[in-house]
Amino acid sequence: AKESGRNNYKFYNTTMEKNTYAKLSLERDLRHAIERDELLLYYQPQIELDSGCILGVETLARWKHPKHGFIPPSEFIPIAEYSRLIVPIGKWILYTACKQNKAWQDAGLPKVHVAVNLSLHQFQNSEIIQTVAQILEETGLEPQYLELEITESIAMQDVEKVILTLQGLYALGVKISIDDFGTGYSSLNYLKNFPIQRLKIDKSFLDDIVRSEKERAIVGAIIVMAHSLNLRVTAEGVESMEQVALLQDCNCDEIQGYIYSRPIPSSECAELLAERRVF
Ligand code: C2E
Ligand code: CA
Ligand code: CA
Ligand code: CA
């Protein structure tokens, strides 16, 4: 037992070292990812159920690592967060997304909003309001065509400071939505006090709505509550027509998911916008 205990320890230790090493080397590579042109943005359409039209697109970052290939955001965003690289990277993402949306509009494509995920450290950076204002000015994108997605983890920070930042962003004319709604510890009271326009219901609540009456009840209740607070609701990660039908029954406003499109490169997204295809 002692022997195996030692072996376990040894194994655990090497794995840990490997992980730490991998993380450090990824962090080092991430430092140069922007200048080396390795970061790119994909876009996923958000469809209004009533009209079937694309109303917005969410920006999803991709890292094309020269050695390891595509590294998913679930891996590199946390590295960017703890190394604080998220501030310059996030700024690049915001700028690139706004510039892209303006280019689509200038090309005569239907006007949609571009949604950009804001991480905690980005949001807490004292310059965030100024950064957003400057990017809107530089790109010429009208503020109502930018939407910022924040998570409930942000809502759980120092509430007064959060409200001040949100009010500053809101004053610029950009839209704000709560992402992954229902997965964190949101207080419904905060929702009432935040200048937000949208809730995005997390995929985990939608996975089972076809089979489970309980899940349907939860989703239905979230939507009723959101509407009574004048918030729009987007369902995330929608994959089947059965889910779409149920979400229509619940009066959900918009859907986003593989049922319509996966996240796609900007050129493909432009084609989708140009098609003006109704879902
Ligand atoms: P998120 O903001 O909740 O984004 C939605 C995720 O769900 C995306 O994963 C998207 O590809 C995936 N998804 C969309 N529809 C479906 C579906 O029908 N089925 C399934 N199975 N998945 C679907 P992705 O692109 O891997 O991004 C993961 C997370 O990484 C995002 O979750 C977000 O938290 C973070 N992230 C991505 N891009 C950025 C960024 O530019 N900045 C920041 N701060 N975070 C980002
Ligand atoms: Ca999001
Ligand atoms: Ca989400
Ligand atoms: Ca409706």
Side-chain angles (χ1 to χ4, degrees):
K2 205 177 171 189
E3 196 64 40
S4 80
R6 209 159 51 217
N7 282 340
N8 276 342
Y9 173 74
K10 211 169 157 189
F11 173 72
Y12 181 55
N13 202 26
T14 4
T15 315
M16 259 194 349
E17 270 165 20
K18 262 195 201 141
N19 281 339
T20 310
Y21 176 73
K23 267 190 195 149
L24 283 176
S25 102
L26 276 185
E27 183 185 329
R28 200 187 51 217
D29 294 345
L30 195 54
R31 250 168 237 288
H32 304 287
I34 294 179
E35 67 203 51
R36 290 178 184 159
D37 248 354
E38 293 166 7
L39 289 184
L40 53 155
L41 301 185
Y42 275 32
Y43 299 90
Q44 186 177 36
Q46 302 172 326
I47 314 302
E48 184 177 51
L49 283 174
D50 279 350
S51 67
C53 294
I54 301 178
L55 284 197
V57 295
E58 179 176 2
T59 308
L60 294 157
R62 300 288 180 261
W63 182 15
K64 202 167 180 240
H65 191 282
K67 264 209 315 256
H68 309 300
F70 273 98
I71 298 179
S74 55
E75 262 176 65
F76 77 82
I77 294 288
I79 296 175
E81 276 266 301
Y82 77 67
S83 62
R84 302 289 165 121
L85 281 169
I86 194 67
V87 174
I89 287 176
K91 199 168 170 180
W92 179 87
I93 292 170
L94 258 172
Y95 176 81
T96 308
C98 290
K99 198 170 111 184
Q100 180 62 72
N101 198 20
K102 182 71 166 81
W104 285 330
Q105 295 186 355
D106 289 348
L109 295 169
K111 288 190 174 187
V112 298
H113 69 251
V114 67
V116 177
N117 293 287
L118 272 198
S119 72
L120 183 61
H121 287 138
Q122 233 184 324
F123 184 83
Q124 285 175 330
N125 188 282
S126 57
E127 283 162 26
I128 183 64
I129 299 168
Q130 208 198 320
T131 300
V132 172
Q134 192 190 332
I135 286 172
L136 289 170
E137 196 180 303
E138 276 174 25
T139 59
L141 183 71
E142 292 168 81
Q144 73 263 33
Y145 295 113
L146 173 62
E147 189 163 302
L148 301 171
E149 296 194 0
I150 62 170
T151 58
E152 290 165 301
S153 58
I154 286 175
M156 287 315 290
Q157 306 298 309
D158 178 358
V159 180
E160 272 161 37
K161 206 171 154 213
V162 169
I163 291 185
L164 277 180
T165 306
L166 289 176
Q167 281 170 342
L169 292 168
Y170 181 71
L172 296 177
V174 304
K175 304 252 163 60
I176 298 159
S177 54
I178 301 280
D179 200 2
D180 304 338
F181 183 75
T183 59
Y185 300 90
S186 58
S187 154
L188 301 180
N189 198 34
Y190 295 164
L191 285 183
K192 193 182 69 185
N193 296 321
F194 285 171
I196 54 172
Q197 286 75 48
R198 182 192 305 280
L199 292 188
K200 297 187 74 179
I201 303 182
D202 191 68
K203 179 177 185 300
S204 57
F205 288 100
L206 301 160
D207 283 342
D208 273 343
I209 53 168
V210 175
R211 277 181 296 117
S212 154
E213 205 165 311
K214 243 190 210 162
E215 305 276 309
R216 273 204 297 282
I218 292 173
V219 169
I222 293 175
I223 295 170
V224 168
M225 178 206 64
H227 284 164
S228 70
L229 292 168
N230 266 322
L231 304 173
R232 285 180 66 89
V233 181
T234 303
E236 288 195 292
V238 178
E239 296 181 343
S240 73
M241 279 316 288
E242 287 91 339
Q243 285 174 307
V244 172
L246 287 168
L247 288 163
Q248 260 162 338
D249 286 347
C250 296
N251 262 323
C252 182
D253 302 298
E254 282 156 48
I255 58 154
Q256 182 183 340
Y258 294 174
I259 183 75
Y260 187 86
S261 170
R262 288 176 177 260
I264 44 180
S266 59
S267 56
E268 276 177 53
C269 193
E271 282 169 30
L272 265 189
L273 288 171
E275 268 180 38
R276 294 165 200 265
R277 168 166 57 103
V278 171
F279 179 55

